[in-house]
Amino acid sequence: MRSSISLGRIGGVPVGLNVSVLVIVVILVVGLAFGRFPIAFPGLPTAAYVLAALVSAVLFLASLLAHELAHAIVARRHDVEVTGITLWLLGGVAQLRGEPRSPGADLRIAGVGPLTSVVLGGLFALVTWGVSAVGGPALVSGMFGYLAAVNVLLAVFNLIPAAPLDGGRVLRAFLWARWGDRLRAAVAAARAGRVFGYTLIVLGFLNLVSGLGFQGLWLALIGLFLVNAASAEEQQTQIDAALHGIKVAEVMSRHPITAHPGETVAGLIDRLVLRHHLSTYPLVDDDGRFAGLVTLGRVRAVDPGRREVTPLREIACPPPDVPSARPDDLLTELLQRMSGSADGRAVVLDDGRIVGLVTPSDISRTIQTVDLRAREPYRTPRGADLAPHAPGGPPAGGPTSGGPSSSGTIRSTGRRDAA
């Protein structure tokens, strides 16, 4: 779930809107301005209803953002990196990279979102009472009353014990503490999420055939989202556990074929691409240092008429944007850094010099052969929040503060909340 519109940074965390959030805004404004508000507070100009609906929609989005920020703040306090927050069609996503180190940390990161929504609901209820007490407009009082109710409803829904909702994270934390096995706990929470998702789909279908139209469609949409997210989360958890303990050196393609940053695109095609049929070419400067990464996708994007005069440095992904690792790094840690990378590749460096590449093919091959490796079985950690991080643990994210990253082997963990 990527941001289409950047809202800047809050506390160092990038915040943005996915264009799909506009759908929720339209639904809220139309439903409130031409449905709920005119029925509850008749006799006012249409402009008043529209203005109140717009303010309600903006404050609702602000509530979702506060919910996600709470997740992000607590996650950072437990040394879990937060790469961004995105508001989208079904709520919000706090994108976490890394895993909580104990059941207690997992519980606190998950529980703070619904707690924030409950607190916001109480604040909006207090404002509602204040406006009524001073004889303010009934429409304004009703607007804040609506926001109070919707925040409490958001908290209750997200506490349903089904991943990837916040409640699924809470369930995982309790099962992890009870069983001492994070993998088993994460799989159980994901399967509960899938069951709940199918339940919503069935309820949505029943509403549709009963003539309740939009409400049934919305339930089915949320249910489908939960089923897909929970299934992907279970699969990712099992893959992470399978890859536990594998070093980057065991996976990487060694001695990659390189090119010079000053070589032209046409030169690369004639000298290497048509001969070796590879998809990735690291650039190495005159000092032997890594200087960028060129893929076939970037080569094809160059107009054929300009390939003779375009140097590779102009089309390469610059070094700071290419995930990197040392040969002794753990593969699971590198995969977290690769999440969201432009080209889906990583370079393996030794003292600034390239010694290998990690590509999607390398990762796929490793997953297919992981059961043939002789190594210690995966064991989940126990103990305090400061216990060493166990790589390859289950994902820390899921729909919660408003809305789910997350996708395949290379992924960034995200907390998602359904609106």
Side-chain angles (χ1 to χ4, degrees):
M1 186 53 54
R2 302 190 182 278
S3 297
S4 307
I5 304 169
S6 175
L7 300 180
R9 290 175 175 267
I10 300 178
V13 178
V15 176
L17 302 175
N18 182 273
V19 68
S20 63
V21 81
L22 298 178
V23 177
I24 264 295
V25 172
V26 170
I27 291 173
L28 283 175
V29 171
V30 172
L32 293 175
F34 301 99
R36 181 185 182 93
F37 288 163
I39 293 174
F41 312 102
L44 298 175
T46 300
Y49 297 132
V50 172
L51 179 59
L54 285 171
V55 172
S56 298
V58 170
L59 290 177
F60 174 69
L61 293 182
S63 300
L64 292 180
L65 179 57
H67 182 128
E68 299 301 335
L69 281 171
H71 283 308
I73 291 170
V74 176
R76 291 171 73 175
R77 288 181 178 175
H78 289 285
D79 297 324
V80 178
E81 182 184 355
V82 182
T83 59
I85 292 174
T86 302
L87 302 183
W88 69 301
L89 174 63
L90 295 181
V93 180
Q95 298 164 335
L96 310 184
R97 181 174 296 173
E99 307 295 343
R101 298 176 182 177
S102 75
D106 206 7
L107 177 63
R108 286 186 283 274
I109 294 171
V112 71
L115 178 61
T116 300
S117 294
V118 170
V119 171
L120 288 173
L123 290 175
F124 283 126
L126 187 61
V127 173
T128 301
W129 174 83
V131 171
S132 299
V134 300
L139 177 59
V140 175
S141 175
M143 179 185 73
F144 286 110
Y146 166 79
L147 291 167
V150 80
N151 270 280
V152 172
L153 179 62
L154 178 65
V156 171
F157 180 79
N158 276 288
L159 279 175
I160 292 173
L165 297 172
D166 285 333
R169 306 286 164 252
V170 172
L171 174 63
R172 183 179 71 182
F174 277 115
L175 294 179
W176 180 6
R178 180 173 180 177
W179 295 336
D181 187 334
R182 182 169 56 186
L183 171 61
R184 181 183 172 193
V187 170
R191 290 176 178 173
R194 197 157 59 238
V195 170
F196 180 58
Y198 281 125
T199 301
L200 289 184
I201 291 173
V202 171
L203 290 176
F205 176 76
L206 292 177
N207 281 337
L208 281 173
V209 298
S210 300
L212 296 180
F214 180 78
Q215 181 180 345
L217 182 63
W218 192 249
L219 281 177
L221 177 63
I222 295 175
L224 181 62
F225 160 75
L226 290 176
V227 168
N228 289 335
S231 299
E233 183 164 310
E234 180 180 353
Q235 181 184 44
Q236 186 64 52
T237 297
Q238 294 171 335
I239 288 174
D240 283 349
L243 297 180
H244 169 70
I246 295 178
K247 301 281 185 68
V248 171
E250 301 176 57
V251 176
M252 69 183 187
S253 298
R254 297 175 180 272
H255 311 300
I257 296 174
T258 63
H260 191 275
E263 185 174 8
T264 65
V265 173
L268 177 73
I269 293 173
D270 294 337
R271 186 175 68 87
L272 296 177
V273 174
L274 297 180
R275 291 177 56 194
H276 297 282
H277 308 289
L278 299 175
S279 64
T280 310
Y281 298 91
L283 303 184
V284 176
D285 63 19
D286 294 330
D287 296 325
R289 299 282 176 174
F290 175 61
L293 195 68
V294 172
T295 62
L296 283 186
R298 291 177 179 269
V299 169
R300 290 193 180 98
V302 179
D303 186 273
R306 298 211 32 95
R307 290 175 180 171
E308 292 282 354
V309 296
T310 302
L312 295 177
R313 67 168 61 91
E314 289 188 8
I315 68 168
C317 185
D321 296 338
V322 181
S324 64
R326 296 184 301 273
D328 288 338
D329 287 350
L330 292 167
L331 176 60
T332 49
E333 294 177 351
L334 175 60
L335 293 183
Q336 292 175 8
R337 296 195 291 273
M338 292 175 69
S339 173
S341 62
D343 295 305
R345 278 95 167 155
V347 294
V348 186
L349 303 176
D350 187 3
D351 193 26
R353 300 177 185 275
I354 187 163
V355 295
L357 280 174
V358 177
T359 68
S361 296
D362 296 321
I363 298 166
S364 178
R365 182 175 59 252
T366 302
I367 292 173
Q368 291 171 3
T369 60
V370 70
D371 60 325
L372 303 178
R373 296 171 180 264
R375 55 195 179 87
E376 289 296 317
Y378 173 77
R379 300 183 189 280
T380 53
R382 303 183 188 188
D385 292 350
L386 298 181
H389 172 54
T400 61
S401 34
S405 12
S406 307
S407 57
T409 301
I410 303 174
R411 62 91 175 83
S412 136
T413 312
R415 312 201 64 84
R416 307 168 197 108
D417 303 300

